[in-house]
Amino acid sequence: MPTVAVPPERRIDELLLERWDRHPEHPALVSGDTVVTTGELRDRVLLAAAALRARGVGPGDIVAVYHERSVEFVVALLGAVFAGAAHAAFDVHEPPRRTLAAFEDCAPRAVLAGAAFRSRFAEVPDLLVLTDEEYADEEYAVEGYADEEDRAHHPERDPFPVARSVVAPAVVLYTSGSTGRPKASLISHRALVSRLRALQGTHRMDERDRIIHHTACTFDMYLSEVYWPLLAGAAVVLAEPGRQRDADHLAELIRDHGVTTFYCVVSLLDLFLLTRDPAERLDGLRQVLTGGEPLPPELVKRFHARSTATLTNLYGPSECTIHCTAWVCPRDPDLDTVFIGTAVADTELWILDGAGVPVADGEPGELYIGGAGLALGYLNRPELTAERFVTLPALDPEGRLYRSGDLVRAHPDGALEFLGRVDRQVKIRGVRLEPGEIEATALRCPGVRQAAVVAYGSGSAKQLAAYVVPDGDGAAEGLPASVREVLRTWLPHSMVPATVEVIGELPLTTNGKLDRLLLEERALKRAAEAARPGPRPGPRPDPGAAGEVAEDPGALVSRVWCEVLGVAEVGPDEDFFDLGGDSFKVVAVVEALRERLDADIPLAALLTEPTLAEFTAELRRILGGRTARDV
């Protein structure tokens, strides 16, 4: 199902510079009360690029970006690209060991980092770490040209002194790897520009629009939140660091800054609607884009009931740069199937069987993706690149296709229906994970002989469960805690299983393979058992009744956590998310405490202070010394 289009032949840095020079007075970035104009952004980006070039960075290099979400983060991304290099952005909240392992893989020529994080790289030999403060006062020839005559007389002002290619990498994006080693997709300027033009072609933005940048830099949609609006002349509203899943904060940004375009993964959209007052309308938004996981029809209907904005379901692995299909959800009260849509511009799609032959109309098969948006391959992984990026001359004599591993089916109107995966890869709240990487990391823990990780549940309730077999008799005591500590040391929070269970041996099928279905059923059974309601608190006593006892918030918080998480007790240093908590359970806890304490408790309180002791201390601060009366 190919689409015909002329491949874009412009680099993203050239296009951005043209846009900025056209209207330097327009707002580009909004961060709290700070507004950065396009002219100011241009000057800061060119300064960063000049600082990198002065230190030998250029085409073919990789620059690591290590900032909190901020104006400086955006400047660093763009500065790397304007220097001719590709940027690899890393989440400062991920375990440093994982980041340093990625550094060994991508060998960045330089790191643009926040000053507070410089010490994390102190022991890495020969690594150039540069903070924005360190080059802000340096002088470089970064002015542009007034005209062609000026260009001839002042070649030193050229922001692009070296010839550059549209097929050169612009972005290096790491995702989970099945072997325990994260893999990095190389995204070219051509691919990035192609996808941004596709978005602009179907969901146009201009200088009147604003979009929130809240997506973590480990998820490729952050590229659209930064590059798309800047290229279209719209402004980027930056969410505060650590509050990307704080629905209250996002709602404030939408309201206070006139946000018109909003992207969020499906589970965050669900959470966002769940936390808003049912009477609250979201008509200020003009268009909402979602994706990353299956979109339930019921959620589409709930959104349409609350907003006049369009809702578009996007699909696409990072190897295909942001998205490769799109479907605008109809306002249909009888909607029963949500599609991932049809191919976007510069994209071709094929549905093939196991032999690489196109399936009959309406039959399921694996989706193969081609076109200008395809990544160049995986960094330093030629075998994996050859396995996933294939050439099928019978279908496309001159191009490559990416084997998505996704099962789809085409309907008569051409829209694709997502049916599931053909491999073990899973998505938890929009994050693509390889259980194999988690298993390989669990084996780092002393005392673990075997490990298996499965996903159980569905939709926003999907979670991970880990099973470990101890090495030797008597080694099981304390092993779950040890495994969890190792996983937290090496993996981001999204990859740490909700439960870790010790078992005597891993179950096998009759063919001698790991019986993952049996483990999934076991995890579901344990989750159901844990969710059985225990004794509920009694009715609220009359405030004037005799014998009413004031209670410190700590006891109340502990009790509410146990109710929501389905556990018997919680220790002061235990992490809410390690105990199986997620964004939806955050809402349940906060709503319960708001009702029982009659207090305005922000969702961010639990998101940023996730241990029992930390959250209780924050709650005491919010209450201002009040005590709680349990209900």
Side-chain angles (χ1 to χ4, degrees):
M1 296 180 291
T3 63
V4 179
V6 177
E9 295 298 335
R10 300 293 304 280
R11 287 172 56 96
I12 187 63
D13 44 7
E14 298 170 352
L15 293 171
L16 285 173
L17 194 59
E18 288 179 5
R19 163 63 70 175
W20 296 340
D21 286 343
R22 203 176 307 153
H23 295 289
E25 75 284 0
H26 284 177
L29 305 177
V30 180
S31 179
D33 296 329
T34 300
V35 177
V36 179
T37 67
T38 56
E40 292 167 339
L41 178 60
R42 173 198 61 200
D43 294 345
R44 292 184 63 171
V45 168
L46 291 178
L47 185 64
L52 289 170
R53 286 201 303 268
R55 290 163 172 82
V57 175
D61 290 328
I62 294 174
V63 173
V65 175
Y66 201 74
H67 279 274
E68 291 269 24
R69 185 183 304 105
S70 59
V71 170
E72 291 74 23
F73 171 77
V74 176
V75 170
L77 291 179
L78 300 176
V81 171
F82 271 70
H87 63 69
F90 295 92
D91 189 341
V92 300
H93 299 289
E94 287 196 351
R97 287 189 181 184
R98 179 180 174 85
T99 301
L100 293 176
F103 278 22
E104 291 182 8
D105 180 58
C106 69
R109 183 69 179 269
V111 180
L112 294 179
F117 305 118
R118 169 178 273 283
S119 60
R120 295 188 182 184
F121 311 109
E123 298 182 4
V124 181
D126 303 321
L127 181 63
L128 170 62
V129 181
L130 190 61
T131 68
D132 55 299
E133 292 92 341
E134 291 171 340
Y135 66 77
D137 296 327
E138 298 180 3
E139 294 185 2
Y140 301 98
V142 296
E143 300 90 348
Y145 297 114
D147 50 36
E148 286 304 311
E149 183 178 355
D150 191 30
R151 177 186 295 273
H153 286 90
H154 297 282
E156 76 280 358
R157 295 181 184 174
D158 190 351
F160 308 121
V162 180
R164 304 169 182 214
S165 168
V166 295
V167 297
V171 181
V172 178
L173 188 70
Y174 276 91
T175 56
S176 180
S178 59
T179 63
R181 174 186 169 192
K183 57 184 182 293
S185 297
L186 292 171
I187 298 173
S188 69
H189 282 260
R190 169 182 286 168
L192 182 57
V193 170
S194 169
R195 288 299 185 253
L196 297 175
R197 284 180 167 171
L199 281 169
Q200 183 68 355
T202 56
H203 296 74
R204 184 174 180 79
M205 286 199 294
D206 57 31
E207 63 275 3
R208 296 167 293 182
D209 288 295
R210 292 189 171 189
I211 186 173
I212 297 178
H213 167 41
H214 65 94
T215 300
C217 62
T218 51
F219 187 32
D220 61 352
M221 272 305 298
Y222 91 92
L223 298 171
S224 65
E225 293 175 348
V226 173
Y227 282 104
W228 176 25
L230 294 179
L231 193 59
V236 183
V237 179
L238 301 171
E240 291 181 16
R243 301 189 69 181
Q244 59 269 18
R245 291 187 69 84
D246 184 343
D248 289 342
H249 176 57
L250 297 177
E252 290 173 4
L253 294 179
I254 291 171
R255 180 184 65 248
D256 296 346
H257 294 288
V259 170
T260 60
T261 302
F262 182 45
Y263 172 84
C264 60
V265 295
V266 171
S267 58
L268 181 56
L269 178 63
D270 192 7
L271 175 68
F272 185 81
L273 294 180
L274 180 67
T275 59
R276 313 317 307 149
D277 188 301
E280 180 181 352
R281 297 286 303 175
L282 304 171
D283 295 330
L285 290 168
R286 184 169 61 82
Q287 50 191 6
V288 173
L289 301 92
T290 189
E293 50 199 325
L295 177 60
E298 178 271 338
L299 180 55
V300 174
K301 297 172 189 176
R302 277 199 288 135
F303 174 80
H304 281 153
R306 304 280 294 277
S307 178
T308 57
T310 60
L311 179 64
T312 302
N313 191 29
L314 303 181
Y315 159 85
S318 59
E319 289 86 350
C320 299
T321 313
I322 305 174
H323 75 309
C324 61
T325 72
W327 193 65
V328 179
C329 302
R331 293 181 176 273
D332 181 0
D334 299 320
L335 182 69
D336 58 5
T337 302
V338 176
F339 299 103
I340 60 173
T342 55
V344 301
D346 302 331
T347 301
E348 58 183 46
L349 305 175
W350 298 92
I351 305 175
L352 308 180
D353 62 18
V357 176
V359 301
D361 291 344
E363 292 298 314
E366 182 176 358
L367 181 62
Y368 285 64
I369 306 162
L374 222 57
L376 299 170
Y378 298 115
L379 177 67
N380 300 329
R381 305 288 290 275
E383 299 85 0
L384 186 59
T385 297
E387 176 187 334
R388 305 303 300 184
F389 294 85
V390 300
T391 55
L392 297 175
L395 301 179
D396 190 346
E398 299 180 359
R400 299 177 308 146
L401 297 174
Y402 173 69
R403 294 186 57 186
S404 70
D406 288 332
L407 284 173
V408 299
R409 174 172 51 220
H411 284 249
D413 63 355
L416 300 183
E417 179 185 2
F418 177 80
L419 302 175
R421 292 287 301 173
V422 298
D423 56 20
R424 290 187 55 212
Q425 193 177 90
V426 299
K427 278 195 173 183
I428 304 292
R429 288 176 288 282
V431 180
R432 186 171 64 168
L433 307 176
E434 292 281 3
E437 181 178 358
I438 307 171
E439 293 165 354
T441 304
L443 292 174
R444 293 175 181 264
C445 181
V448 174
R449 179 166 59 87
Q450 293 177 297
V453 174
V454 296
Y456 64 96
S458 60
S460 60
K462 183 179 287 186
Q463 297 191 82
L464 296 172
Y467 296 91
V468 295
V469 177
D471 183 10
D473 297 334
E477 186 176 353
L479 197 55
S482 299
V483 170
R484 186 177 297 281
E485 183 61 30
V486 168
L487 295 176
R488 293 178 65 182
T489 299
W490 286 96
L491 300 176
H493 171 76
S494 60
M495 296 182 69
V496 178
T499 60
V500 178
E501 183 178 342
V502 177
I503 56 179
E505 60 182 9
L506 295 178
L508 303 177
T509 66
T510 55
N511 294 327
K513 296 182 179 181
L514 178 64
D515 193 337
R516 296 187 179 277
L517 182 59
L518 189 61
L519 290 179
E520 291 173 15
E521 292 172 350
R522 180 182 180 121
L524 283 169
K525 181 179 178 181
R526 293 294 175 89
E529 292 173 350
R532 289 174 185 166
R536 304 298 296 175
R540 175 190 287 273
D542 184 338
E548 183 182 18
V549 180
E551 181 183 29
D552 182 81
L556 176 58
V557 171
S558 177
R559 189 150 42 252
V560 170
W561 278 30
C562 289
E563 293 170 8
V564 172
L565 296 171
V567 296
E569 59 182 357
V570 180
D573 297 322
E574 290 195 270
D575 188 293
F576 181 80
F577 298 100
D578 286 347
L579 294 170
D582 55 31
S583 297
F584 291 86
K585 292 177 181 177
V586 167
V587 173
V589 166
V590 171
E591 289 294 340
L593 291 173
R594 283 172 175 170
E595 179 182 351
R596 297 182 188 188
L597 297 174
D598 191 23
D600 184 12
I601 305 168
L603 295 174
L606 182 48
L607 292 169
T608 57
E609 306 292 349
T611 70
L612 183 65
E614 291 171 341
F615 177 63
T616 301
E618 178 66 9
L619 186 59
R620 290 194 185 100
R621 186 193 66 76
I622 293 170
L623 294 174
R626 288 172 47 196
T627 56
R629 298 185 186 279
D630 200 1
V631 296

